[in-house]
Amino acid sequence: DAGITQSPRHKVTETGTPVTLRCHQTENHRYMYWYRQDPGHGLRLIHYSYGVKDTDKGEVSDGYSVSRSKTEDFLLTLESATSSQTSVYFCAISAQEGIQYFGAGTRLSVL
Amino acid sequence: QQQVKQSPQSLIVQKGGISIINCAYENTAFDYFPWYQQFPGKGPALLIAIRPDVSEKKEGRFTISFNKSAKQFSLHIMDSQPGDSATYFCAAYGGATNKLIFGTGTLLAVQP
């Protein structure tokens, strides 16, 4: 998975609890992305980063925040998880525009 | 205008047959069109990609056909094999967004 590690790989949590997903890369790529994958919707961009402390919103950013304090780490936080955030979350990295490499994903269930 | 429409949603093909997946886009500023392959429990992996200055790109059994005037592109898998069974996503990149816009995916099943 192109030097990308997502953790945890699986998580079950309760509604209203905070959740943080981590993406770690060893490729020193500038761009990092968080997507969610749901049946019938494909991959939808949540947030992305174009450098340390430089982030921007994607198309489904409500209820999510991100942080990037180091080139290699990109954190996705659900401040107060809801059942609608049950999904599979993928991190991706990119050094070249348009070419993205994906991690193995985190399966999150919010009960 | 930022959408990429993908069809069919699912596809069943016999071993040795040709699998065809179609995508259409609206934004003429898109300038890079990759296809991703995803196996169950794995992340999507880049399969093949094309830029709009060519009409076709072939890599092994996988071919992208691109029709700029119609704003459509398609993936052809020749001599489909059971190991090709996966979900395929088309995507488009470019314009002011600098983001990849994905189609909704096609679940391909190749029957032995």
Side-chain angles (χ1 to χ4, degrees), chain B residues 19-59:
Chain B
S19 304
I20 302 174
I21 304 170
N22 300 299
C23 286
Y25 63 98
E26 290 294 325
N27 189 345
T28 56
F30 288 143
D31 59 6
Y32 180 73
F33 301 88
W35 285 88
Y36 283 81
Q37 180 187 53
Q38 183 182 29
F39 294 106
K42 302 291 187 181
L46 180 64
L47 180 65
I48 186 173
I50 196 169
R51 296 198 182 273
D53 53 344
V54 297
S55 60
E56 185 175 282
K57 183 173 182 180
K58 183 176 181 180
E59 291 185 1

Side-chain angles (χ1 to χ4, degrees), chain A residues 22-26 28-32 34 49-55 66-75 93:
Chain A
R22 181 183 183 232
C23 179
H24 177 79
Q25 64 152 324
T26 58
N28 200 36
H29 285 351
R30 176 183 176 187
Y31 301 95
M32 298 186 76
W34 277 109
S49 171
Y50 43 93
V52 173
K53 298 185 178 179
D54 291 324
T55 65
V66 290
S67 66
R68 190 172 180 195
S69 59
K70 298 184 291 184
T71 298
E72 58 267 34
D73 290 324
F74 193 31
L75 304 180
I93 64 175

Side-chain angles (χ1 to χ4, degrees), chain A residues 37 48 90 97-100 103, chain B residues 32 36 38 43-44 89 93 99:
Chain A
Q37 183 176 16
Y48 66 103
F90 286 100
E97 291 182 351
I99 301 176
Q100 296 184 13
Chain B
Y32 180 73
Y36 283 81
Q38 183 182 29
F89 294 96
Y93 178 89
K99 301 168 190 173

